[in-house]
């Protein structure tokens, strides 16, 4: 264990908020079987890796480049670790996988709305945007073809917007957006893991619903940080803390402690701890 | 041929596809030659990286057809952002897979190919020219009719080529370069290594992804993908990309970047970015 990782463990709560979110993210893939797990970004990738190493061993994963691996690849410079490849997954094969539906991706969109529609393109007016981001990337195809979850490191009304997102990049459960005759049957929005809670779209009429609150966070606080009305699940729980075994796997998967950089000041997993 | 020969065969107003993906195996030596030229009013079709930002900064782009523009480690391409936010360029924004489908349609001489990608998103709303089509079979499902992305010219960078136009991509991922080659009327390839005639074994011959009849001309451009990476030969030059990125926040930043790096010859460029020895030792990025 390196020094920074030791520092994190020595926090009073015993785990950081990022580590809590990694475990929550890993739960998104529970029960998925043989699908390609694509976690884009530090927490989603560690979540997918942790899922594969614990409860979802059949997941397909890549080395975050071109090859499939059965042992998830630790993040960052690899030292002595040499990935063992089990297959090949070039970009064109990823697209083929997307269209066939055998994938569950977790990405971090810039905006999400009450319908689960996501935006990665521009904020503001389309012709002269306030902020130009990446472009729609693969969101239109991903969202209409396979399971998707989302990661939001800074839960706020700027991300969870009132009304609809500025440029619908990923589709959601907004009937008015669907042309007559289009097939919405493959749309499958699973979890949203944020720095405050875990949500899903299993509320009434696909409403966004809080399914667990992170330790020390109230529903009112989550609602205040969200631009649309949320539901709360009857069985809403406190987000499960990482076990020692999970923390050890996370440390192995992230030897350079990149997870400490995801949330400002790397706060502890238990609020106020 | 030389990069200047390639550019002399391009015309203002053309639709030009650029191979590679984000900061990966972009034909930057050819792009730099375009930047040195009088070409303008271009329609650029790309899985965009720094080449798109540079062409925007230089005022070469009238219209951009893209699914994204990024340099990965530096997610937001600064000059693309500037041009996009100022409304200086016309944009046609596609899903990455729709984009592939458009190239495939062009290569197959089809006017369109059907796909679900893009339905129920603003990709359709923002591109009123895009149409949907119903399946003629009993299911009647409605799809996007993704139009062919026909290119006047494609610019690609490969690891090896011969004088006949045979090419090898030894990178782990061939990306979609073969589709750009097929979609284009003329295809110009820059290459790390050039041989007179290939004499390959079966294993290396499999790294030939498109036929030489698609290749109009080959330019020998060692390190021609710099500052993007061309694995397995060299990694990206992150310090140079940071320098380029920072220039966007400086007054006259683009003009200074051009005068320092672009205005001279390609040999000058290679020397100014640290020379071949430096580029050869740039580590491949680890993800």
């Amino acid at each position: 264990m390196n020094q920074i990782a030791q520092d994190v463990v020595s926090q009073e709560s015993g785990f950081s908020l990022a580590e809590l979110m990694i475990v929550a993210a890993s739960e998104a893939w529970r029960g998925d079987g043989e699908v390609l797990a694509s976690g884009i970004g530090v927490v989603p990738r560690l979540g997918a890796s942790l899922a594969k190493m614990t409860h979802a061993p059949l997941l397909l994963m890549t080395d975050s480049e071109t090859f499939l691996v059965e042992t998830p690849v630790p993040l960052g410079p690899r030292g002595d670790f040499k990935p063992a490849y089990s297959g090949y997954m070039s970009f064109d094969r990823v697209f083929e996988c997307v269209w066939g539906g055998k994938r569950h991706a977790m990405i971090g969109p810039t905006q999400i709305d009450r319908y689960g529609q996501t935006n990665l393109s521009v904020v503001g007016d389309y012709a002269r945007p306030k902020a130009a981001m990446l472009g729609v990337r693969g969101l239109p195809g991903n969202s209409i073809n396979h399971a998707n979850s989302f990661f939001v490191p800074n839960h706020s009304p700027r991300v969870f917007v009132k009304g609809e997102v500025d440029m619908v990049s990923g589709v959601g459960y907004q009937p008015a957006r669907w042309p007559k005759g289009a097939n919405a049957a493959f749309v499958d929005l699973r979890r949203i893991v944020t720095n405050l809670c875990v949500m899903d779209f299993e509320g009434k009429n696909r409403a966004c619903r809080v399914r667990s609150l992170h330790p020390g966070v109230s529903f009112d606080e989550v609602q205040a940080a969200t631009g649309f009305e949320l539901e709360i699940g009857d069985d809403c729980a406190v987000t499960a803390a990482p076990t020692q075994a999970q923390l050890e796997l996370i440390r192995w998967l992230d030897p350079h402690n990149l997870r400490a950089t995801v949330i400002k000041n790397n706060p502890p997993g238990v609020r106020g701890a | 041929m030389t990069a200047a020969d390639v550019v002399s065969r391009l015309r203002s107003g053309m639709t030009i596809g650029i191979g590679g993906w984000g900061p990966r195996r972009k034909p930057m030596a050819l792009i730099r030659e375009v930047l040195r030229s009088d070409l303008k009013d271009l329609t650029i079709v790309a899985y965009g990286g720094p080449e798109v930002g540079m062409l925007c900064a230089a005022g070469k782009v009238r219209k951009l057809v893209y699914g994204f523009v990024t340099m990965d480690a530096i997610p937001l391409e600064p000059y693309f952002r500037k041009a996009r936010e100022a409304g200086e360029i016309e944009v046609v924004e596609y899903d990455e897979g729709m984009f592939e489908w458009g190239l495939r349609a062009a290569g197959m001489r089809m006017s369109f190919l059907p796909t679900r990608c893009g339905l129920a998103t603003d990709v359709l709303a923002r591109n009123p020219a895009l149409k949907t089509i119903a399946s003629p079979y009993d299911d009647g499902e409605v799809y996007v009719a993704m139009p062919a992305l026909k290119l006047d010219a494609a610019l690609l960078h490969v690891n090896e080529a011969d004088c006949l136009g045979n090419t090898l991509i030894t990178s782990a991922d061939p990306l979609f370069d073969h589709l750009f080659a097929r979609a284009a009327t003329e295809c110009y390839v820059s290459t790390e290594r050039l041989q007179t005639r290939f004499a390959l074994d079966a294993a290396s011959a499999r790294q030939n992804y498109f036929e030489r009849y698609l290749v109009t001309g080959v330019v020998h451009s060692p390190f021609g993908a710099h500052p993007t990476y061309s694995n397995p030969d060299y990694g990206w030059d992150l310090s140079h990309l940071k320098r380029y990125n920072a220039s966007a926040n400086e007054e006259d930043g683009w003009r200074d970047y051009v005068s320092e790096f672009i205005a001279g010859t390609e040999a000058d460029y290679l020397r100014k970015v640290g020379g071949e020895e430096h580029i050869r030792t740039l580590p491949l990025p680890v993800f």
Side-chain angles (χ1 to χ4, degrees):
Chain A
M1 193 190 306
N2 67 31
Q3 188 56 48
I4 307 171
Q6 280 177 350
D7 290 346
V8 171
V9 173
S10 68
Q11 289 174 0
E12 273 181 56
S13 64
F15 56 89
S16 68
L17 178 57
E19 288 165 339
L20 181 81
M21 295 165 79
I22 291 162
V23 172
S26 84
E27 286 298 316
W29 282 279
R30 187 176 285 277
D32 269 1
E34 284 185 318
V35 302
L36 178 66
S38 301
I40 313 293
V42 170
V43 166
R45 176 165 157 198
L46 289 170
S49 300
L50 183 62
K52 179 160 175 63
M53 292 184 95
T54 54
H55 57 77
L58 291 181
L59 288 175
L60 283 75
M61 280 193 70
T62 70
D63 61 349
S64 285
E65 247 193 311
T66 319
F67 297 102
L68 290 164
V69 291
E70 292 301 328
T71 300
V73 174
L75 272 65
R78 288 177 192 159
D80 293 335
F81 180 84
K82 292 243 186 315
Y85 303 130
S86 55
Y88 184 60
M89 206 78 201
S90 57
F91 281 126
D92 69 333
R93 275 177 68 170
V94 173
F95 289 6
E96 288 173 8
C97 166
V98 166
W99 298 328
K102 295 287 188 189
R103 186 180 189 223
H104 180 173
M106 182 184 283
I107 60 137
T110 305
Q111 294 179 327
I112 305 177
D113 64 28
R114 60 188 292 264
Y115 305 105
Q117 297 177 131
T118 47
N119 177 16
L120 202 58
S121 172
V122 295
V123 170
D125 175 61
Y126 192 69
R128 295 198 60 148
K130 203 173 349 166
M133 287 93 65
L134 300 179
V136 295
R137 289 218 74 150
L139 263 58
N142 293 353
S143 56
I144 203 167
N145 282 304
H146 61 64
N148 285 276
S149 292
F150 306 114
F151 169 71
V152 176
N154 186 15
H155 193 134
S156 82
R158 289 177 55 170
V159 179
F160 293 100
V161 296
K162 196 175 170 183
E164 292 185 74
V165 295
D166 292 348
M167 165 78 184
V168 176
S169 312
V171 308
Y173 304 116
Q174 157 60 305
R177 288 269 172 184
W178 290 81
K180 195 165 178 291
N183 181 1
F186 303 134
V187 181
D188 184 4
L189 304 181
R190 299 274 181 90
R191 302 285 169 86
I192 311 174
V193 176
T194 83
N195 57 322
L196 299 180
C197 65
V198 178
M199 304 191 287
D200 61 27
F201 290 92
E202 292 169 32
K204 204 182 293 174
N205 298 321
R206 297 286 192 181
C208 190
R209 184 186 74 152
V210 177
R211 59 183 295 143
S212 75
L213 292 159
H214 295 346
V217 177
S218 71
F219 174 78
D220 288 347
E221 187 182 345
V222 175
Q223 180 62 74
T226 307
F228 50 85
E229 202 177 327
L230 294 171
E231 291 188 12
I232 181 160
D234 292 338
D235 51 356
C236 179
V238 174
T239 308
T243 64
Q244 271 311 312
Q246 286 170 324
L247 286 173
E248 277 165 32
L249 285 171
I250 290 169
R251 275 177 226 132
W252 182 81
L253 286 163
D254 182 24
H256 307 287
N257 202 22
L258 299 179
R259 63 195 180 282
T261 65
V262 173
I263 311 284
K264 197 179 173 194
N265 299 328
N266 194 28
V270 177
R271 180 81 62 95
Chain B
M1 58 199 306
T2 66
D5 294 335
V6 170
V7 169
S8 75
R9 301 186 57 157
L10 305 176
R11 295 283 171 266
S12 291
M14 271 189 166
T15 296
I16 297 179
I18 302 169
W21 172 285
R24 299 156 199 239
R25 213 157 34 71
K26 286 287 177 180
M28 297 305 294
L30 299 180
I31 297 299
R32 283 186 285 273
E33 199 59 32
V34 172
L35 295 173
R36 292 177 195 118
S37 76
D38 296 330
L39 288 172
K40 58 181 185 353
D41 290 330
L42 301 175
T43 293
I44 298 296
V45 180
Y47 290 114
E51 86 287 8
V52 167
M54 291 183 190
L55 291 166
C56 286
K60 302 287 186 195
V61 184
R62 184 177 62 78
K63 181 169 160 184
L64 178 64
V65 181
Y66 69 113
F68 61 79
V69 181
T70 182
M71 300 191 288
D72 274 18
I74 303 167
L76 302 176
E77 214 297 337
Y79 289 105
F80 158 71
R81 293 195 91 187
K82 277 191 169 182
R84 180 73 186 84
E85 290 170 7
E88 285 168 359
I89 49 172
E90 190 183 331
V91 294
V92 178
E93 188 172 357
Y94 291 125
D95 164 72
E96 291 169 2
M98 294 173 78
F99 190 105
E100 178 193 346
W101 238 212
L103 294 177
R104 278 197 189 276
M108 291 190 277
R109 302 184 291 181
M110 297 285 292
S111 48
F112 72 91
L113 284 172
T115 175
R116 285 192 188 97
C117 304
L119 287 171
T121 72
D122 276 330
V123 169
L124 264 70
R126 300 299 180 190
N127 293 293
L130 280 178
K131 296 195 182 337
T132 57
I133 187 165
S135 162
Y137 298 102
D138 289 346
D139 60 283
E141 185 173 342
V142 168
Y143 300 102
V144 173
M146 176 63 205
L149 288 173
K150 190 86 190 91
L151 310 172
D152 295 315
L155 305 178
L156 311 175
H157 185 74
V158 302
N159 304 94
E160 286 188 52
D162 75 7
C163 292
L164 292 177
N166 293 300
T167 54
L168 296 182
I169 295 173
T170 58
S171 302
D173 195 326
L175 307 172
F176 299 92
D177 284 5
H178 60 298
L179 298 182
F180 282 91
R182 291 188 195 289
T185 307
E186 299 194 335
C187 172
Y188 299 98
V189 176
S190 58
T191 181
E192 290 293 323
R193 289 174 293 283
L194 180 67
Q195 298 184 22
T196 310
R197 292 278 174 104
F198 277 161
L200 306 170
D201 60 21
S204 49
R206 289 183 64 160
Q207 295 171 318
N208 168 248
Y209 289 92
F210 50 93
E211 305 82 63
R212 65 174 159 76
Y213 60 72
L214 294 164
V215 176
T216 315
V218 176
V219 179
H220 187 205
S221 301
F223 310 104
H226 184 277
T228 71
Y229 73 93
S230 181
N231 82 357
D233 299 319
Y234 48 90
W236 60 26
D237 193 336
L238 205 50
S239 64
H240 186 85
L241 289 172
K242 284 179 179 164
R243 160 80 179 75
Y244 162 72
N245 186 54
S247 74
N249 289 323
E250 295 159 7
E251 200 173 340
D252 293 326
W254 173 246
R255 213 170 58 188
D256 291 347
Y257 182 87
V258 169
S259 64
E260 186 171 0
F261 295 108
I262 310 281
T265 65
E266 195 62 12
D268 295 333
Y269 174 82
L270 291 178
R271 196 175 60 247
K272 284 190 169 158
V273 299
E276 298 185 0
E277 285 311 311
H278 166 68
I279 301 176
R280 194 169 296 143
T281 57
L282 288 170
L284 291 169
V286 174
F287 293 99

